[in-house]
Amino acid sequence: MKTGGLKVRLFAGATAAAALCSPVMAQETGTLIQRRAAQIDEGNPNAGRLTMEAFGACVVSRSKGRVSKFIDMRVDEPGYRDYMKNLFDRAEDQCLSQGELRFYDINFRGALFQALYAQEFKTSAPDLTTVQSSGYRQIYPETLSPEARNAVALEQFGECVSRADPQNVRALLRSLAGSSQESALFGSLTPRFGTCIPQGEKLAFSKVVLKGALAEGMYRLSRAAEAGGGTAIGSR
């Protein structure tokens, strides 16, 4: 896995709800494919993560074209963050029933990839062994900016784990945040995490970042496999 020399540390600990949003809480719906807004669920300890997952699913269902453009942008290109923030802001009235959801780049990005995978590969599971590359690393120059190094490292980690255990990654992406199913799947995947980080590299993330990285890696690989095994960046 090329990471451009990024030094990161693996940490799959729990993420506090406060790191994601204010005390807005998401209602468990049993699916990530929805057009409705995230709802209040008073007292749920996984409020932040559930709200962000529900919000991301709503954004994808309502603004699929804009999301598709966003995910093929380089993270260090001019306008990237403004485009993502605008995507977030424009969806708040329609995708959040009440309260205030704070904007955190990496959490929102991960939620979008999780929702994209749930929507586009609900009933199909492309053969990832046919894919040489998702094409994501290739959209960047050989020398990576700090922002690009981090994004590439996380995506390549997600690709590696997805190739190693696609069945459990798919199940994880369909599980609800904080559920017993999610916890069990994280446990099943843990042995894969270390093997997907090159010797001498370190990768630091919480559960929400980890799930987002797996969602991105699995989505990009699945899209490439569906396109015939080649790269799929910007091919839709």
Side-chain angles (χ1 to χ4, degrees):
M1 175 175 75
K2 290 186 178 181
T3 63
L6 179 66
K7 302 297 181 183
V8 285
R9 175 172 56 86
L10 175 64
F11 173 63
T15 300
L20 289 174
C21 63
S22 59
V24 173
M25 303 184 182
Q27 180 180 35
E28 292 201 17
T29 63
T31 177
L32 289 176
I33 303 174
Q34 59 176 9
R35 293 188 62 86
R36 57 188 173 278
Q39 302 291 318
I40 295 292
D41 183 9
E42 295 293 344
N44 193 316
N46 295 289
R49 296 182 59 216
L50 284 165
T51 301
M52 185 59 81
E53 289 185 358
F55 184 78
C58 180
V59 174
V60 167
S61 68
R62 291 174 180 272
S63 303
K64 180 67 179 298
R66 298 185 73 233
V67 173
S68 295
K69 176 181 177 180
F70 162 71
I71 65 166
D72 286 340
M73 296 173 69
R74 287 173 34 176
V75 299
D76 57 356
E77 70 178 78
Y80 166 82
R81 194 176 187 280
D82 286 344
Y83 190 95
M84 176 166 53
K85 185 66 167 60
N86 183 261
L87 191 63
F88 180 93
D89 289 342
R90 288 181 60 176
E92 279 194 292
D93 288 343
Q94 300 154 330
C95 290
L96 193 65
S97 63
Q98 61 188 50
E100 179 183 6
L101 187 63
R102 297 178 189 168
F103 175 72
Y104 291 90
D105 299 33
I106 197 165
N107 299 337
F108 183 47
R109 180 184 173 92
L112 292 178
F113 275 104
Q114 191 178 351
L116 282 168
Y117 184 78
Q119 183 184 97
E120 294 185 23
F121 299 99
K122 181 180 180 181
T123 59
S124 63
D127 181 4
L128 304 185
T129 63
T130 65
V131 186
Q132 293 182 348
S133 168
S134 71
Y136 186 65
R137 175 61 180 88
Q138 286 67 42
I139 71 173
Y140 293 94
E142 185 63 27
T143 301
L144 298 172
S145 66
E147 297 88 352
R149 286 203 307 272
N150 189 59
V152 169
L154 287 173
E155 192 277 340
Q156 296 283 276
F157 171 83
E159 283 197 25
C160 178
V161 178
S162 296
R163 288 182 188 275
D165 195 346
Q167 182 175 353
N168 277 328
V169 172
R170 290 183 182 111
L172 176 69
L173 299 184
R174 294 185 172 104
S175 68
L176 289 173
S179 65
S180 58
Q181 181 189 21
E182 185 195 56
S183 296
L185 288 164
F186 269 125
S188 297
L189 287 165
T190 296
R192 303 291 189 184
F193 297 158
T195 62
C196 283
I197 300 176
Q199 187 173 5
E201 299 287 349
K202 297 178 181 180
L203 195 55
F205 37 52
S206 60
K207 279 187 176 180
V208 66
V209 178
L210 175 58
K211 197 170 184 180
L214 296 177
E216 181 169 0
M218 175 59 81
Y219 176 76
R220 291 193 187 280
L221 283 175
S222 299
R223 190 173 66 160
E226 194 175 60
T231 60
I233 297 293
S235 63
R236 286 162 302 166

